[in-house]
Amino acid sequence: GQNIDQPTEMTATEGAIVQINCTYQTSGFNGLFWYQQHAGEAPTFLSYNVLDGLEEKGRFSSFLSRSKGYSYLLLKELQMKDSASYLCAVRAGEGGSTLGRLYFGRGTQLTVWP
Amino acid sequence: GAGVSQSPSNKVTEKGKDVELRCDPISGHTALYWYRQSLGQGLEFLIYFQGNSAPDKSGLPSDRFSAERTGGSVSTLTIQRTQQEDSAVYLCASSGDRGRYEQYFGPGTRLTVT
């Protein structure tokens, strides 16, 4: 089976840096995604990693270590609007599929305080 | 271009009635997914369509749930004999067949079974 773990809640202050960790155990790993979901809204894509290392995009960065089954999402210069749930998702293809479905973690609710 | 659309946005139904939820994916996207999300919970995978392949129905919680995708585009999720525990937000997502294959989510249908 597939198992995705991430903290349930985190808090931080405006302007700070926060790191949201995600660990996974999957077979047929085919990429890791981070999504942001504001309350009452649909998830929106943030980042994608398929190779080890750091991917940087503006204030957001995502890191992947496939050997450790570990990823993190780093948010810099936090703003109030960053208060949301952050979902870690692993794509696992079976039977040699290059696509496959996503397995989502339960999400980390981030609250940014002024 | 247009994103993923879903209808209705809200649906209130009586226990025991059947409901149909509709999803229009992004034009040209070959993969379509259905998820449901209960209040404060993560995304629960339901079903996944990829091109002309047989759908992955492994997430459907019971035989009261079914889905079809006509002409490789629009999809309908049907819940028969609805139960109160079916109350949730039902999210549809689609993805293309190149690049990162990230999923784009629709706004969801909020289903309330009374």
Side-chain angles (χ1 to χ4, degrees):
Chain A
Q2 318 290 349
N3 191 35
I4 318 292
D5 285 317
Q6 52 182 131
T8 304
E9 293 180 332
M10 297 185 72
T11 60
T13 54
E14 213 171 3
I17 299 173
V18 71
Q19 178 175 311
I20 303 174
N21 295 324
C22 172
T23 58
Y24 64 89
Q25 295 172 314
T26 64
S27 57
F29 177 84
N30 216 344
L32 187 141
F33 297 78
W34 284 94
Y35 282 82
Q36 180 190 60
Q37 186 177 26
H38 286 101
E41 298 182 9
T44 55
F45 168 78
L46 282 180
S47 70
Y48 168 72
N49 296 72
V50 67
L51 300 176
D52 291 351
L54 188 68
E55 294 283 341
E56 297 187 82
K57 188 163 60 172
R59 295 190 298 116
F60 292 8
S61 302
S62 57
F63 172 83
L64 174 67
S65 169
R66 289 172 297 171
S67 62
K68 295 181 179 178
Y70 169 69
S71 173
Y72 67 72
L73 179 69
L74 192 71
L75 293 78
K76 304 175 186 175
E77 302 169 16
L78 281 174
Q79 303 174 10
M80 299 289 288
K81 68 178 182 180
D82 297 329
S83 292
S85 181
Y86 291 85
L87 307 173
C88 173
V90 173
R91 182 169 62 214
E94 298 174 356
S97 169
T98 57
L99 294 176
R101 51 172 284 199
L102 292 187
Y103 295 82
F104 281 86
R106 296 173 67 84
T108 299
Q109 182 62 47
L110 174 66
T111 302
V112 179
W113 300 101
Chain B
V4 178
S5 61
Q6 294 185 243
S7 61
S9 55
N10 280 283
K11 176 72 175 178
V12 180
T13 190
E14 292 181 352
K15 177 182 172 181
K17 295 287 180 67
D18 298 351
V19 295
E20 285 189 352
L21 312 180
R22 177 188 168 104
C23 172
D24 281 272
I26 292 173
S27 178
H29 276 189
T30 56
L32 186 148
Y33 311 79
W34 283 99
Y35 300 89
R36 72 177 176 182
Q37 188 173 35
S38 300
L39 188 63
Q41 301 298 309
L43 293 175
E44 177 186 2
F45 167 78
L46 296 177
I47 188 169
Y48 159 42
F49 296 89
Q50 175 59 53
N52 295 321
S53 302
D56 177 351
K57 304 180 181 180
S58 59
L60 295 178
S62 77
D63 58 8
R64 296 187 295 106
F65 289 72
S66 63
E68 63 176 20
R69 188 178 186 192
T70 55
S73 180
V74 171
S75 177
T76 302
L77 177 70
T78 301
I79 309 173
Q80 296 178 311
R81 305 181 302 282
T82 51
Q83 303 294 313
Q84 288 186 331
E85 60 262 29
D86 298 335
S87 296
V89 175
Y90 289 80
L91 290 162
C92 173
S94 70
S95 66
D97 60 357
R98 62 186 65 185
R100 298 172 303 205
Y101 314 105
E102 70 265 31
Q103 295 183 14
Y104 295 85
F105 284 82
T109 294
R110 181 174 298 279
L111 175 66
T112 304
V113 182
T114 61

